[in-house]
Amino acid sequence: MTVPNALSVLRLLGVPLFLYLLLGPKADGWAVVVLALAGASDWLDGKLARWLDQTSRLGTLLDPAADRLYIFATLLAFVVRGIVPWWIAAVLVGREALVGVFLLVLRRFGYGPFEVSYLGKAATFNLLYAFPVLLLAQGASTAAQIARPIAYAFMLWGGALYLWSAGLYLYQLVLAARRTPGVVAA
């Protein structure tokens, strides 16, 4: 257990608390704090892993898993509360399912998971930035009215990048299939 991996585990443990705050007491302010701490620990665990030379296989699995879990949990809570329409959540979750299928196919060909791309990181960053701003955009206050277009802009941009990165993963999958003997790829 390394320090970066411990931070990733703590981030994962924050997901149920985050969901409770959003769906139970609807304590949006505290939920934003949990999300901000998760974002800070996401940045910190990567920095520490490189700085302390503690990059590990477990860390490369935990970090994206925590990101995906926060995205899924947030979308679920936002749909339940009516903050985002169900179809937006369906598109983003569908993208995750599709990339999951790509990973299974890659394993069948004997390859490991995709390299994390900067495009994928930018997509995740935009979505994780959009979520707390979407919470701040709830209501009729002046602050909410100012936050609303910013939140939607980050959500749309993050969603578009998320889908684009799925296209890049599909391209990588096709290249891997072409390099695999006995596989005919389009």
Side-chain angles (χ1 to χ4, degrees):
M1 181 57 71
T2 65
V3 173
N5 289 350
L7 284 173
S8 292
V9 168
L10 284 174
R11 192 161 80 250
L12 282 168
L13 293 175
V15 172
L17 173 62
F18 177 69
L19 275 174
Y20 167 75
L21 291 169
L22 282 177
L23 298 175
K26 295 183 181 171
D28 293 350
W30 286 111
V32 168
V33 169
V34 171
L35 197 57
L37 289 173
S41 72
D42 184 26
W43 172 81
L44 185 60
D45 72 14
K47 274 288 196 206
L48 287 174
R50 288 183 291 280
W51 184 57
L52 299 172
D53 195 28
Q54 292 184 343
T55 304
S56 68
R57 176 78 177 128
L58 178 61
T60 60
L61 295 174
L62 281 176
D63 188 56
D67 291 344
R68 299 304 182 272
L69 196 54
Y70 267 102
I71 289 171
F72 179 74
T74 304
L75 288 170
L76 173 70
F78 281 8
V79 167
V80 168
R81 288 197 36 198
I83 295 172
V84 297
W86 68 267
W87 63 268
I88 289 177
V91 166
L92 296 177
V93 170
R95 180 264 189 205
E96 280 303 310
L98 190 61
V99 169
V101 169
F102 294 170
L103 290 173
L104 292 174
V105 172
L106 273 178
R107 282 198 185 121
R108 186 174 178 283
F109 291 146
Y111 294 99
F114 297 113
E115 284 289 321
V116 176
S117 70
Y118 285 108
L119 183 66
K121 285 180 179 274
T124 301
F125 171 81
N126 276 278
L127 290 174
L128 292 178
Y129 194 89
F131 294 154
V133 181
L134 277 167
L135 283 174
L136 296 173
Q138 300 309 297
S141 69
T142 302
Q145 291 176 5
I146 292 169
R148 197 166 293 118
I150 296 167
Y152 289 142
F154 275 104
M155 186 75 177
L156 288 172
W157 185 239
L161 291 175
Y162 218 51
L163 294 175
W164 187 5
S165 67
L168 290 177
Y169 291 142
L170 175 60
Y171 177 70
Q172 290 177 5
L173 177 67
V174 168
L175 290 178
R178 285 184 178 165
R179 288 191 303 259
T180 304
V183 175
V184 178

